[in-house]
């Protein structure tokens, strides 16, 4: 799309690309997803990258008015020369954003390990309490009921022995998932911003 902006926002046209950033873990599960953007101004048909703040400010200032037809045609003619540098700027933004997410992903991995461990430790505590609970008036129980009780107790004791190993395995799986996150970029939109003066001169 191509939209107008006020002359006090831009002195030359600009182009902004949005992309879907997906960060995958070591097991190819999605760890994070967001929409990112990058752009630059067009000076004499050449692309000059804008920083994140400049890009956001320019896009926020976009007016609902579309650029006139002759301007859109000229921008279409320029596209082959600016497509590659625009994509490169989006990829650079992807790299920067992924680096910025490193601390967040480490903290999230720690939190997931902590949550998983707490759940299994609580299960361990509950099983121990059940095993330690005295069984009253067993003399009134039938033989099948006593056999079933013993089977239940054996099952609980077996489950109790599995919990430490389960915590260890799940911790390793979670750490592996968050190790070496891999970004994937899917470009989705391109927006041209045209100063009113430029549009009027077209």
């Amino acid at each position: 799309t191509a939209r107008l902006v006020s002359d006090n926002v831009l002195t030359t046209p600009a182009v902004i690309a949005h992309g879907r950033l997906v960060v995958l873990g070591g097991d190819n599960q999605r760890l994070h997803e967001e929409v990112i953007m990058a752009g630059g101004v067009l000076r004499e048909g050449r692309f000059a990258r804008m920083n994140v703040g400049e890009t956001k400010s320019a896009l926020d200032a976009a007016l609902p008015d579309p650029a006139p037809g002759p301007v859109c045609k000229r921008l279409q003619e320029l596209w082959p020369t600016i497509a590659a540098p625009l994509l490169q700027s989006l990829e650079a933004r992807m790299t920067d954003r992924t680096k910025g997410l490193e601390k967040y992903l480490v903290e999230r991995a720690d939190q997931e390990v902590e949550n998983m461990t707490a759940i299994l430790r609580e299960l361990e505590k509950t099983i121990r309490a059940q095993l330690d609970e005295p069984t009253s008036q067993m003399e009134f129980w039938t033989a099948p009921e006593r056999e079933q009780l013993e089977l239940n107790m054996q099952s609980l004791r077996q489950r109790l022995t599995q919990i430490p190993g389960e915590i260890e395995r799940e911790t390793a799986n979670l750490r592996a998932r968050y190790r070496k996150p891999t970004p994937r970029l899917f470009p989705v939109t391109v927006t041209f911003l045209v100063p009113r003066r430029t549009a009027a001169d077209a």
Side-chain angles (χ1 to χ4, degrees):
T1 187
R3 296 163 65 185
L4 297 181
V5 294
S6 300
D7 295 329
N8 62 344
V9 175
L10 292 171
T11 56
T12 62
V15 58
I16 296 172
H18 281 86
R20 177 170 162 252
L21 169 63
V22 178
V23 180
L24 302 177
D27 56 359
N28 285 324
Q29 284 203 32
R30 185 173 55 196
L31 302 180
H32 181 79
E33 181 176 350
E34 67 176 90
V35 174
I36 60 172
M37 63 179 176
V41 292
L42 305 176
R43 295 193 180 101
E44 299 179 356
R46 298 189 177 212
F47 179 89
R49 188 181 300 175
M50 296 188 292
N51 63 35
V52 175
E54 292 168 339
T55 303
K56 184 178 184 307
S57 296
L59 189 64
D60 287 346
L63 302 170
D65 310 293
V71 173
C72 292
K73 184 178 179 182
R74 174 60 181 145
L75 294 174
Q76 287 174 344
E77 292 170 353
L78 282 175
W79 177 247
T81 64
I82 62 178
L86 178 61
L87 179 59
Q88 288 170 2
S89 70
L90 196 59
E91 289 172 341
R93 176 62 185 142
M94 173 193 71
T95 301
D96 290 344
R97 183 64 184 127
T98 303
K99 287 180 180 177
L101 286 168
E102 286 178 358
K103 182 181 177 184
Y104 161 74
L105 292 175
V106 168
E107 290 173 351
R108 206 169 102 182
D110 291 342
Q111 187 62 54
E112 288 196 21
V113 168
E114 185 179 325
N115 292 344
M116 175 274 300
T117 302
I119 290 170
L120 290 177
R121 289 300 183 199
E122 186 61 32
L123 175 61
E124 184 179 52
K125 181 180 175 182
T126 302
I127 292 174
R128 289 190 187 280
Q130 285 182 282
L131 289 173
D132 292 341
E133 190 175 300
T135 305
S136 61
Q137 299 182 329
M138 284 193 66
E139 64 270 18
F140 300 114
W141 290 32
T142 64
E145 287 175 333
R146 292 178 184 177
E147 289 175 10
Q148 185 60 53
L149 175 65
E150 182 54 33
L151 288 173
N152 292 345
M153 291 300 177
Q154 285 179 9
S155 178
L156 287 173
R157 283 190 285 269
Q158 183 179 6
R159 183 70 185 95
L160 196 60
T161 64
Q162 294 170 347
I163 289 177
E166 190 173 347
I167 291 175
E168 191 175 330
R169 287 192 304 274
E170 287 301 313
T171 298
N173 290 339
L174 286 169
R175 295 296 183 197
R177 176 177 301 165
Y178 283 89
R179 192 176 299 121
K180 294 182 180 178
T182 305
R184 293 284 185 269
L185 178 65
F186 305 91
V188 289
T189 65
V190 173
T191 303
F192 287 94
L193 302 175
V194 182
R196 281 190 180 278
R197 186 183 297 111
T198 302
D201 295 340

